[in-house]
Amino acid sequence: MSSIRPTADAGGEAGAPRVSVAVVRRSVAVLALVALAALIPFLGPPAALRGTGEATPPGVGGIALLRAVLFAAVCVSAGELFVARLARRVPGAPLEDTPRSWAPAAAAAGFVAALGLASVVATGNLVPRSLSDMDIGGLYQTRDGALALLEVNAFVVMGLCALSRRPGNQVWPLAAVAVAEALRAHPTTEQSPLIGSGLTLVHVTCAALWAGGLLYVLRTLHRWRNTAPGEGVALLGLYARVAAVLLAAITATGVGSTLRRMPPGTVLEQLTTTAYGRTLLAKVILVVAVAVLALWARHRLHRAPDPLTAYSPARAEVVVLGVVVAVSAVLTAVPVPIRW
């Protein structure tokens, strides 16, 4: 497939313009996708809330954007650790020749996002206008404040681990962030909060491994396209088998969480009349699209004459997964539906 093979002879003068054009096109595409991912959480809440009669929380767009960055940071770091472990199970894999880690940058982005979210909690879930609006000391006195501080500190530790000689230790701060998000999503005032937190913890963990893992698999496959294409295909196949289990767990926990917040008799109505329901419906449609792309990639991987052609649908899959992460951030920012 052309997208994973050299596009021109590095030593030929005629090939130089082609390479530069390809680089420019890819850069523009990446910038466009980043802009789209930023616009979805920032503009999504107002669109979802329009006509529902629900009150718009203060700073909902900015909060959704910060949470999208936080989720993406977790996905990138978790995916690298996950795929690094899978790669060790591939015979003959050139483990010394792997893509450059994005974990330090992800930890820095996650730290900034977590700090921004903590500042919102410090002002009583309002958008801070100045430093005097924030009660930093009060963060230690509330459950939400303690969880926000835990996430801030976890990203600091994550960055230090990513830069150390043992990047695998990132698993512990990553677990802390996942647990904090699960607890934050289910306050003690709701019915059976620990059950809800457990469902969210499994959901968030599996989603991070799925999205982040596919991203790092594709980066690795591109890195090995000339030196170890067979091992790259084997890694993609190994990931695909695990991803099927992750998708099943995501589906089961997602359905369970939905039924806890929207009783069966009200689901269809709330999917169109509440901001939470509309956002959830958009997420479900996107996940279905991702599943179709995953099946297409798996079909090419096992049936096509050239298994490397699975790269194309897998690349589209990771793009749609990025949109799913952005929509998931919107889902955490809009008002939780009332149990009718």
Side-chain angles (χ1 to χ4, degrees), residues 182-199:
L183 293 174
R184 180 205 57 80
H186 299 275
T188 55
T189 54
E190 79 172 29
Q191 184 179 7
S192 304
L194 288 181
I195 295 177
S197 295
L199 290 172

Side-chain angles (χ1 to χ4, degrees), residues 202-224:
V202 175
H203 191 84
V204 168
T205 301
C206 292
L209 295 177
W210 186 20
L214 180 59
L215 174 63
Y216 197 64
V217 164
L218 293 181
R219 292 183 62 210
T220 304
L221 185 61
H222 188 269
R223 177 86 174 188
W224 293 352

Side-chain angles (χ1 to χ4, degrees), residues 4-325:
I4 58 174
R5 294 193 179 96
T7 55
D9 183 5
E13 296 181 358
R18 293 184 180 180
V19 173
S20 61
V21 169
V23 170
V24 169
R25 287 178 177 175
R26 290 174 184 172
S27 300
V28 170
V30 169
L31 290 175
L33 291 173
V34 170
L36 175 62
L39 287 174
I40 289 174
F42 191 72
L43 301 178
L49 286 161
R50 187 176 297 119
T52 63
E54 297 172 295
T56 302
V60 63
I63 291 174
L65 180 59
L66 290 173
R67 205 161 291 284
V69 174
L70 187 147
F71 288 167
V74 171
C75 288
V76 169
S77 298
E80 289 189 6
L81 294 178
F82 172 48
V83 175
R85 181 175 292 272
L86 289 181
R88 290 196 287 269
R89 297 169 56 185
V90 177
L95 301 179
E96 70 286 347
D97 183 25
T98 55
R100 183 177 181 179
S101 175
W102 289 354
F111 169 77
V112 172
L115 197 62
L117 292 169
S119 69
V120 172
V121 177
T123 54
N125 292 324
L126 298 174
V127 179
R129 303 296 180 184
S130 64
L131 291 176
S132 60
D133 293 339
M134 295 184 287
D135 181 13
I136 304 298
L139 287 174
Y140 296 93
Q141 301 173 8
T142 65
R143 180 176 183 268
D144 286 347
L147 292 175
L149 287 174
L150 175 61
E151 292 186 349
V152 171
N153 293 327
F155 278 110
V156 172
V157 176
M158 194 184 307
L160 294 175
C161 291
L163 295 172
S164 71
R165 296 182 179 181
R166 295 185 177 181
N169 288 334
Q170 292 176 87
V171 66
W172 302 114
L174 280 169
V177 173
V179 170
E181 278 299 304
L183 293 174
R184 180 205 57 80
H186 299 275
T188 55
T189 54
E190 79 172 29
Q191 184 179 7
S192 304
L194 288 181
I195 295 177
S197 295
L199 290 172
T200 300
L201 178 60
V202 175
H203 191 84
V204 168
T205 301
C206 292
L209 295 177
W210 186 20
L214 180 59
L215 174 63
Y216 197 64
V217 164
L218 293 181
R219 292 183 62 210
T220 304
L221 185 61
H222 188 269
R223 177 86 174 188
W224 293 352
R225 66 191 185 281
N226 294 323
T227 58
E231 288 75 9
V233 170
L235 178 62
L236 181 59
L238 185 59
Y239 164 82
R241 289 194 291 273
V242 180
V245 179
L246 295 175
L247 177 58
I250 290 170
T251 302
T253 53
V255 170
S257 296
T258 299
L259 293 179
R260 291 186 76 254
R261 287 186 164 166
M262 294 189 292
T266 68
V267 170
L268 293 180
E269 184 174 356
Q270 293 202 53
L271 284 177
T272 56
T273 59
T274 65
Y276 187 92
R278 291 174 178 178
T279 309
L280 179 62
L281 180 60
K283 180 179 177 180
V284 169
I285 293 172
L286 288 170
V287 170
V288 170
V290 170
V292 171
L293 289 169
L295 289 174
W296 183 16
R298 189 162 185 168
H299 175 78
R300 284 192 172 186
L301 192 62
H302 296 288
R303 303 289 179 85
D306 182 8
L308 288 177
T309 57
Y311 184 88
S312 180
R315 185 171 55 181
E317 180 186 350
V318 79
V319 170
V320 181
L321 278 172
V323 180
V324 171
V325 170

